[in-house]
Amino acid sequence: MAFVSKIRRQTDYNTFPSSVPIVIDNGASYFRIGWAGETEPRVVFRNIVQRPRHKATGETVTIVGDLDPAMMKYFDCTRSGPRSPFDSNVVYQFEIMEYILDFAFDRLGADGSGIDHPILITESACNPVQSRSKMAELLFETYGVPAVAFGVDAAFSYKYNQLHGICKKDGIVLCPGFTTTHAIPFVDGEPIYTGSCRTNIGGYHITDYLKQLLSLKYPFHSSRFTWEKAEDLKLEHCYIAPNYASEVRLFQEGTKEAEEKTRYWQLPWIPPPTEVPPSEEEVARKAAYREKQGQRLRDMAEAKRLTKINESENHLQSLRFLLKQLDQVEEDDIPSFLSDTGYASRQELESTFSKVIQSLRKARGEPKNEPDESEENTDSFNNEKYPLLNVPDDMLTPEQLKEKKKQLFLKTTTEGRQRARQKRNEEELQKERKHQLEEERRRENPEFYLEEMRVQYKEVLERVEQKKRLKTNGNSTNGNHKSGNVGRGERLSAAQRERMRLLTTAAFDRGKGEDTFGAKDEDWHLYKLMSKDHDDDDEQLDSDEAELARLSSRLQEIDPTFVQKLEEDSSQISGEVPRVRPLTEEDYKIVIGIERFRCPEILFHPNLVGIDQVGLDEMAGVSIRRLPHDEKELEERLTSSILMTGGCSLVPGMKERLECGIRMIRPCGSPIHVVQAMDPVLDAWRGASAFAADLNFLGNAFSKMDYYEKGEDWLRRYQIRYNTL
Amino acid sequence: MEGELVEADIVVAARLSFKKIQSYEKYPKGQTRGRWKHLKQILQAENFPDYPPDLPNYSNIESPPSTQPCKRICDITGYEAPYVDPRTNLRYANTHVFKTVRSLSADQVHQYLSIRNAAVVLK
């Protein structure tokens, strides 16, 4: 693979004399460093830095390049993600750049004091002087580098391929890189930057596009589509369609060819445990166990009941004995006799006695025949229980009067309770009767009855919904405002509008002649209307809702086809996996069909992702147009040697498409020859390495002294001559 | 530090002998944020209009807009899209896709639009 990191520490740093330059290809995605004259860079890693906290010691550490997931557990990465020193294709964060250079030199094996080698480092075409000078400063001041040279990666790649006879001295290099794509024309082996052009699109945008499309297509799995995963998918599956329109038509028509071109990514999916119906044995065992438990509970209850009966009987016995004794005691001695037993009077003793009898009866399970009793002989019972009620007041002592009041109160409450009970019974009877009536009607004509029920249900449902709509905003049916919030621009409901009108008129009515407000009773009604939650129909709504619930439950009982109407929101369809149905393996299958060529298509049509610039094929034309020249022959020489380099030119189908695209914009019959670089990823470094190995290299580099003496304007115009290669 | 970490040798040492100024001296703790100009600010500071226009610089080598008619593809499926939904401004290919378009939430619509830089962001 083209993108492989190599971060093993080198040991032979000290074997290189200080005249051997160090060559750095500082790309936006990968950083490559090695020795001039060699064919392979020594150290390669992704150009990113992470500064997580080390969990054990709590200090911030610096990790350059990809972090091994196995080591992740030692670090706390929550506060800092991976950071790049690049903004687009220009280095701007020199702190990050410094960490990267630290790591690179360290891996190259540097251990002396300072880096005592000239350095050739790549930069973007027409790098702003600010970035260039900061880089030079960093290398001079921090690392003590004796000399520095800057070159353009695409140019080095072209020169390297020219050296190997792939392309000629006149030509165009097209370099779709990580964040930008360049087209640079070469005349007589020198890049002409006046003829170059740059479109701000590259491999990063392709990956990002793929990632966003997939996470929008599968919102349920969006967390799976990390940037790294999307990058892997891109490298593995993306290709460039020879003709986007015809390729997409294949997929639109669902042809067999399209099916073959579709790729699937099966996410790990664990089938939910299937429920095996329990065996008969198990069912029997469970039933037996339940029965046993039930029996135990029943036994316990029975035992408890028996002890209670026993206790009550004993109590009763003692009370009866006490009463009998009391009969024998003289009237005057009663208080002293009772003081030992804890009862205050004979009445109290009697009431306790009757209570115990009642509880005993209840415990034994005998029917409580009190109500009949009370109904049958209410009068006699009342006379017995409330003896003072029928006695005129003037015949009673104050104490007895008090007692009478108490009895009166007791009597009215018991009577009230009885009445309530009666009413309840009646209601229940009525309900039962109604139910029976309905049942009868159903039996007579089930079809008709069902229809009637349905109509009724619909009516009530409509009524309830109407109320709800009025209450919320009136526009919940609109479908557009699912959120239901009343925003600033939203209209108020009729009720709310009316309330606002009342408030404003009330506010402005003041001071108009005589204030007669409150003279009539109706005036006060206004406040009720004004109050925020004047919901007169609340009760009505509640009753409607209850009716609705009753109807729907009834319908559910008798109509198998009945489906309760749910809230509107739940009927929403979208790509989301519905929760109600159990997830299947299909739901975990990511289909990558059109995305395979839709994503790389943005290299040719940047406006698909909103970048209004020419695509890769047109760039060649723009480049030729910009180049100051007046011979037609040069144009032909240029188009007959077009080199593709840079990571994105590895996408399959690139060469054919590019050739086809350039042919369309060039005059008929012009020679067009597109070639791919030998190694689009590493050729830039190799070219730079060959360039730095030349004896004339130092003539192109500048020292710290030059840097400080010659000034910024010189640095701005600084440009190496590639023809030494 | 754990043995495994030391062995993997992934952490950059805080002190490196070949450096004239160590990072911790240059960037003391807590003063690191917001010191770097972004590309936009760098370009502004370069004052490109002051230089002759035939001198290539970072901004004038930028590609011009395309002269070819803009390709319109369906935001959701990638098919060629003859229609635009006036409510969401999404491009769509056929009635089937249109149904999907109308079922999208406002957030999803916004995301689809922002992919092609067409989302309206109210500030």
Side-chain angles (χ1 to χ4, degrees):
Chain A
M1 256 335 275
F3 299 96
V4 181
S5 296
K6 288 198 291 185
I7 54 163
R8 187 197 293 265
R9 195 191 300 274
Q10 307 294 309
T11 51
D12 55 353
Y13 181 85
N14 290 321
T15 64
F16 289 90
S18 65
S19 58
V20 179
I22 292 174
V23 177
I24 297 170
D25 179 6
N26 188 21
S29 66
Y30 274 80
F31 185 99
R32 305 172 188 92
I33 187 169
W35 295 102
E38 295 189 351
T39 51
E40 290 294 320
R42 292 294 185 95
V43 181
V44 178
F45 52 87
R46 251 183 90 191
N47 217 342
I48 51 169
V49 172
Q50 292 179 74
R51 303 208 66 211
R53 232 160 38 83
H54 182 236
K55 274 183 187 161
T57 56
E59 57 190 82
T60 310
V61 295
T62 308
I63 294 170
V64 177
D66 273 322
L67 175 56
D68 185 357
M71 298 292 160
M72 207 67 162
K73 56 178 188 261
Y74 297 118
F75 300 106
D76 172 18
C77 294
T78 46
R79 288 186 59 194
S80 68
R83 283 189 288 167
S84 159
F86 284 87
D87 188 355
S88 187
N89 60 345
V90 173
V91 180
Y92 82 110
Q93 278 250 25
F94 284 89
E95 186 187 344
I96 307 275
M97 197 66 238
E98 190 174 327
Y99 294 130
I100 286 166
L101 288 169
D102 282 355
F103 180 73
F105 290 133
D106 184 46
R107 287 306 139 120
L108 202 59
D111 55 2
S113 61
I115 305 292
D116 195 18
H117 296 272
I119 283 186
L120 171 60
I121 186 166
T122 62
E123 59 171 14
S124 64
C126 300
N127 196 18
V129 71
Q130 197 253 13
S131 174
R132 186 181 280 173
S133 74
K134 279 263 166 55
M135 181 68 89
E137 200 181 295
L138 177 67
L139 290 170
F140 288 134
E141 300 293 340
T142 307
Y143 299 99
V145 172
V148 172
F150 290 104
V152 174
D153 50 351
F156 282 131
S157 181
Y158 188 86
K159 293 306 283 183
Y160 185 73
N161 282 284
Q162 190 195 336
L163 205 66
H164 287 81
I166 307 286
C167 48
K168 305 182 189 106
K169 66 181 170 50
D170 296 330
I172 298 174
V173 61
L174 289 176
C175 177
F178 185 64
T179 50
T180 52
T181 299
H182 282 95
I184 305 171
F186 276 74
V187 178
D188 288 328
E190 278 295 327
I192 312 292
Y193 292 118
T194 32
S196 64
C197 66
R198 182 191 71 239
T199 294
N200 297 321
I201 199 151
Y204 168 82
H205 299 92
I206 300 178
T207 306
D208 199 52
Y209 194 34
L210 180 64
K211 176 176 172 260
Q212 294 203 46
L213 284 179
L214 286 179
S215 37
L216 276 166
K217 193 168 160 190
Y218 300 98
F220 190 65
H221 302 297
S222 60
S223 61
R224 294 250 180 200
F225 305 114
T226 59
W227 203 87
E228 274 72 21
K229 186 68 210 174
E231 179 87 4
D232 285 351
L233 288 174
K234 175 186 87 172
L235 292 177
E236 203 177 332
H237 299 301
C238 280
Y239 68 94
I240 286 171
N243 182 339
Y244 185 83
S246 59
E247 190 84 2
V248 93
R249 218 162 292 131
L250 286 182
F251 279 82
Q252 200 164 2
E253 283 157 13
T255 57
K256 212 172 163 217
E257 216 174 320
E259 226 163 85
E260 277 164 16
K261 282 183 176 174
T262 306
R263 296 279 181 273
Y264 300 98
W265 173 30
Q266 182 65 54
L267 294 172
W269 175 75
I270 306 148
T274 44
E275 280 197 10
V276 185
S279 63
E280 249 172 62
E281 210 176 307
E282 189 136 335
V283 171
R285 205 166 51 96
K286 269 190 182 155
Y289 180 72
R290 247 199 317 272
E291 179 58 35
K292 215 170 107 190
Q293 290 282 337
Q295 190 56 48
R296 221 186 86 217
L297 281 175
R298 277 197 291 277
D299 285 350
M300 269 165 68
E302 182 62 25
K304 210 169 168 190
R305 198 174 70 95
L306 282 179
T307 49
K308 199 173 173 194
I309 289 173
N310 235 346
E311 258 173 35
S312 305
E313 265 170 358
N314 284 348
H315 196 186
L316 203 64
Q317 212 68 42
S318 63
L319 281 174
R320 205 169 279 147
F321 177 69
L322 207 63
L323 277 174
K324 217 176 266 171
Q325 269 186 331
L326 209 59
D327 286 340
Q328 291 161 9
V329 175
E330 298 273 317
E331 194 74 11
D332 295 341
D333 292 341
I334 288 176
S336 62
F337 175 76
L338 280 177
S339 67
D340 299 340
T341 58
Y343 295 101
S345 64
R346 195 189 172 94
Q347 269 115 330
E348 200 180 324
L349 196 64
E350 270 165 2
S351 76
T352 323
F353 184 72
S354 64
K355 255 186 211 158
V356 172
I357 287 178
Q358 253 181 40
S359 70
L360 190 64
R361 222 182 258 159
K362 207 170 137 197
R364 278 191 185 132
E366 284 166 20
K368 215 163 91 173
N369 46 4
E370 197 191 23
D372 314 340
E373 221 174 35
S374 60
E375 258 172 56
E376 277 166 23
N377 44 21
T378 331
D379 283 344
S380 59
F381 180 77
N382 274 353
N383 281 342
E384 207 175 293
K385 209 167 176 188
Y386 314 113
L388 292 175
L389 282 186
N390 293 336
V391 186
D393 280 357
D394 46 339
M395 286 173 67
L396 296 169
T397 59
E399 251 172 56
Q400 275 172 323
L401 259 178
K402 223 186 220 168
E403 189 65 19
K404 188 180 167 183
K405 251 184 209 162
K406 203 166 139 196
Q407 283 178 3
L408 190 69
F409 173 71
L410 275 174
K411 193 184 163 203
T412 46
T413 45
T414 3
E415 275 169 359
R417 226 177 285 142
Q418 269 171 12
R419 266 200 299 276
R421 201 181 298 143
Q422 218 163 345
K423 202 175 158 195
R424 215 160 40 232
N425 282 346
E426 262 166 36
E427 260 173 25
E428 238 156 61
L429 265 172
Q430 210 164 8
K431 226 181 191 173
E432 189 70 19
R433 231 173 286 142
K434 211 171 151 191
H435 194 78
Q436 264 174 6
L437 217 71
E438 269 188 22
E439 198 67 13
E440 253 167 52
R441 269 172 53 207
R442 191 168 85 84
R443 245 175 269 134
E444 269 169 32
N445 192 348
E447 301 274 300
F448 177 72
Y449 175 73
L450 203 61
E451 202 48 47
E452 210 180 53
M453 282 291 271
R454 279 200 196 119
V455 168
Q456 231 175 350
Y457 175 76
K458 225 160 131 190
E459 265 173 23
V460 178
L461 186 74
E462 241 161 58
R463 211 157 55 220
V464 168
E465 282 193 347
Q466 179 92 25
K467 290 261 172 60
K468 266 190 196 155
R469 264 204 298 277
L470 274 178
K471 232 179 159 182
T472 56
N473 210 341
N475 57 11
S476 61
T477 43
N478 209 336
N480 225 358
H481 308 280
K482 287 248 162 77
S483 49
N485 300 335
V486 183
R488 193 188 267 185
E490 303 284 331
R491 278 167 187 271
L492 299 172
S493 72
Q496 284 166 318
R497 266 205 305 275
E498 176 62 15
R499 183 172 162 263
M500 287 321 268
R501 194 190 63 77
L502 282 172
L503 280 175
T504 41
T505 47
F508 289 107
D509 262 358
R510 287 290 140 92
K512 248 194 254 161
E514 220 177 315
D515 188 4
T516 55
F517 185 83
K520 283 177 282 178
D521 271 349
E522 291 94 86
D523 288 348
W524 302 106
H525 191 59
L526 187 66
Y527 283 122
K528 207 177 157 199
L529 288 174
M530 269 190 207
S531 69
K532 188 128 192 162
D533 38 23
H534 87 277
D535 289 315
D536 305 327
D537 43 21
D538 235 14
E539 263 169 48
Q540 166 95 36
L541 187 66
D542 280 349
S543 74
D544 273 347
E545 267 173 1
E547 176 74 3
L548 189 69
R550 192 187 71 82
L551 281 171
S552 71
S553 74
R554 180 92 181 113
L555 270 169
Q556 259 165 350
E557 246 171 61
I558 57 174
D559 183 4
T561 60
F562 174 76
V563 186
Q564 197 167 357
K565 195 172 167 246
L566 293 167
E567 300 292 310
E568 306 242 325
D569 296 71
S570 58
S571 61
Q572 193 187 31
I573 10 155
S574 68
E576 213 165 323
V577 179
R579 302 274 147 72
V580 284
R581 144 179 94 78
L583 294 176
T584 62
E585 201 169 352
E586 252 342 80
D587 293 323
Y588 281 80
K589 193 148 105 185
I590 307 300
V591 182
I592 306 168
I594 289 183
E595 289 84 0
R596 287 184 68 200
F597 59 92
R598 180 180 174 183
C599 297
E601 186 67 20
I602 62 174
L603 288 177
F604 291 90
H605 293 279
N607 55 35
L608 293 183
V609 286
I611 294 170
D612 192 18
Q613 288 185 308
V614 296
L616 199 51
D617 43 3
E618 273 186 274
M619 282 176 80
V622 170
S623 190
I624 292 170
R625 227 184 308 135
R626 281 185 176 181
L627 193 68
H629 68 285
D630 42 13
E631 37 177 340
K632 190 107 191 346
E633 209 192 325
L634 176 64
E635 282 183 21
E636 290 188 352
R637 282 210 303 276
L638 289 175
T639 54
S640 59
S641 166
I642 295 172
L643 181 82
M644 308 182 307
T645 185
C648 281
S649 60
L650 286 170
V651 186
M654 178 70 113
K655 186 171 169 253
E656 293 73 22
R657 176 69 186 273
L658 204 52
E659 215 162 62
C660 173
I662 293 172
R663 184 155 284 133
M664 286 214 281
I665 53 169
R666 294 303 302 160
C668 182
S670 35
I672 285 157
H673 186 59
V674 178
V675 282
Q676 196 181 35
M678 293 193 293
D679 183 340
V681 176
L682 282 179
D683 277 355
W685 187 87
R686 288 183 184 134
S689 162
F691 178 83
D694 193 272
L695 288 175
N696 292 330
F697 170 65
L698 282 180
N700 279 310
F702 58 95
S703 68
K704 187 174 170 182
M705 192 104 99
D706 293 333
Y707 172 67
Y708 283 113
E709 274 177 7
K710 292 181 176 169
E712 196 180 71
D713 205 46
W714 169 83
L715 190 65
R716 191 189 305 279
R717 288 161 198 276
Y718 164 85
Q719 193 179 319
I720 59 168
R721 291 193 56 78
Y722 293 85
N723 261 340
T724 49
L725 264 183
Chain B
M1 241 173 237
E2 292 84 351
E4 200 185 342
L5 267 184
V6 175
E7 205 172 300
D9 192 22
I10 54 168
V11 174
V12 180
R15 219 196 112 73
L16 293 161
S17 67
F18 55 80
K19 291 182 77 177
K20 305 277 184 222
I21 311 161
Q22 300 296 333
S23 315
Y24 54 81
E25 292 165 1
K26 207 162 165 187
Y27 306 111
K29 248 186 177 172
Q31 301 178 14
T32 46
R33 233 142 269 163
R35 248 189 305 145
W36 303 108
K37 281 186 186 167
H38 282 263
L39 181 58
K40 231 176 172 176
Q41 296 164 294
I42 292 175
L43 294 180
Q44 245 165 22
E46 295 278 300
N47 287 324
F48 288 130
D50 296 354
Y51 293 89
D54 55 334
L55 195 72
N57 60 41
Y58 190 84
S59 38
N60 69 14
I61 66 164
E62 194 136 354
S63 308
S66 176
T67 51
Q68 287 175 5
C70 177
K71 203 186 205 71
R72 293 180 196 284
I73 64 166
C74 172
D75 282 307
I76 290 156
T77 57
Y79 303 152
E80 278 184 271
Y83 316 111
V84 177
D85 174 20
R87 192 189 287 170
T88 59
N89 277 331
L90 284 175
R91 292 172 186 156
Y92 64 95
N94 50 40
T95 48
H96 184 71
V97 182
F98 182 65
K99 263 184 211 153
T100 325
V101 167
R102 280 295 160 95
S103 71
L104 291 175
S105 69
D107 194 41
Q108 282 169 313
V109 168
H110 188 85
Q111 279 177 17
Y112 271 118
L113 285 174
S114 58
I115 284 184
R116 62 176 162 94
N117 211 4
V120 180
V121 183
L122 294 174
K123 275 181 191 164

